[in-house]
């Protein structure tokens, strides 16, 4: 499931984040990659262990974890500390699949990446190109969202960032291990949850809505791994 999560950060928060990032010290993204990735990946990264990287990462992490749509769609067990990247002057990242297991440096635990998250820090008008292109079983999707919005997609998807031919594109990226590993099961739970919310708004509480809510929780109980 590919899902747009609006307003993870509000306008004032994202402006402040962007200004801090513009002034930060960036390093070559390929430096942290293997030889094979160097040609494929041309961007800049903020060192994950820098003071500013940690502080901004925490801000984004907190915002993600308080967003009800993200919680419902990703059912996160653990979200990795976000990383920041910057593309300009033709910078791009060719088709790839993200590493399946990543180390959480804070908790010193391994995290299975089920859901990938990209938070857009620049407005789409700030740059040309730079679309996140995600290929899944339903086709190819081009994503370029307002500043402060995020996209989530299954980490099993092949994806790329198109060359940024004008301006600067900064983003925060992270990954979640979900309580429900299977993307299709997560999608069904999300659709059921959203339908219950809409029914409740339309009809108020009723015995049928309580029954559907029980059904949701009992499915989650069947499928969740903790
Ligand atoms: Ni990736």
């Amino acid at each position: 499931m590919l899902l747009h999560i609006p307003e993870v950060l509000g306008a004032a928060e994202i402006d402040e984040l962007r200004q801090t990032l513009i002034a930060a010290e960036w390093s070559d993204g390929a430096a942290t990659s293997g030889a094979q990735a160097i040609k494929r990946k041309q961007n800049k990264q903020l060192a994950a262990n820098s003071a500013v990287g940690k502080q901004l990462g925490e801000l984004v992490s907190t915002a993600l974890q308080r967003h009800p749509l993200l919680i419902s769609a990703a059912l996160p067990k653990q979200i990795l500390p976000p990383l920041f990247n910057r593309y300009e002057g033709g910078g791009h990242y060719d088709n790839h699949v993200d590493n399946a297991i990543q180390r959480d440096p804070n908790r010193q635990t391994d995290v299975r990446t089920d859901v990938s998250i990209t938070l857009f820090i620049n407005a789409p008008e700030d740059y040309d190109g730079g679309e996140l292109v995600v290929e899944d079983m339903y086709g190819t999707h081009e994503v370029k969202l307002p500043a402060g919005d995020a996209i989530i997609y299954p980490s099993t998807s092949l994806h790329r960032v198109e060359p940024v031919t004008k301006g600067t594109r900064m983003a925060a990226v992270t990954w979640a291990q979900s309580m429900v590993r299977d993307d299709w099961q997560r999608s069904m739970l999300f659709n059921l949850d959203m339908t219950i919310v809409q029914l409740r708004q339309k009809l108020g509480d009723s015995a049928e809505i309580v029954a559907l809510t029980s059904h949701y929780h009992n499915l989650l109980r069947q499928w969740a791994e903790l």
Side-chain angles (χ1 to χ4, degrees), residues 128-190:
D128 289 349
E131 294 84 1
L132 171 68
V133 181
V134 181
E135 292 178 14
D136 66 10
M137 60 196 295
Y138 302 110
T140 301
H141 313 275
E142 276 194 8
V143 185
K144 192 168 180 175
L145 297 178
D149 289 16
I151 187 85
I152 68 171
Y153 58 95
S155 301
T156 48
S157 328
L158 198 63
H159 59 278
R160 64 179 179 271
V161 176
E162 296 286 23
V164 172
T165 52
K166 193 179 152 196
T168 297
R169 173 204 194 265
M170 293 187 292
V173 295
T174 190
W175 298 266
Q177 178 165 336
S178 178
M179 292 185 285
V180 176
R181 175 200 289 234
D182 184 81
D183 180 54
W184 178 236
Q185 290 177 338
R186 274 198 312 276
S187 298
M188 286 194 286
L189 286 168
F190 176 68

Side-chain angles (χ1 to χ4, degrees), residues 18 32 36 49 55 62 70 115 124 136 159 164 171-173 178 203 215:
R18 188 187 312 114
T32 57
Q36 197 200 358
N49 56 6
Q55 182 210 334
T62 305
L70 183 125
V115 179
D136 66 10
H159 59 278
V164 172
V173 295
S178 178
L203 306 171
H215 194 62

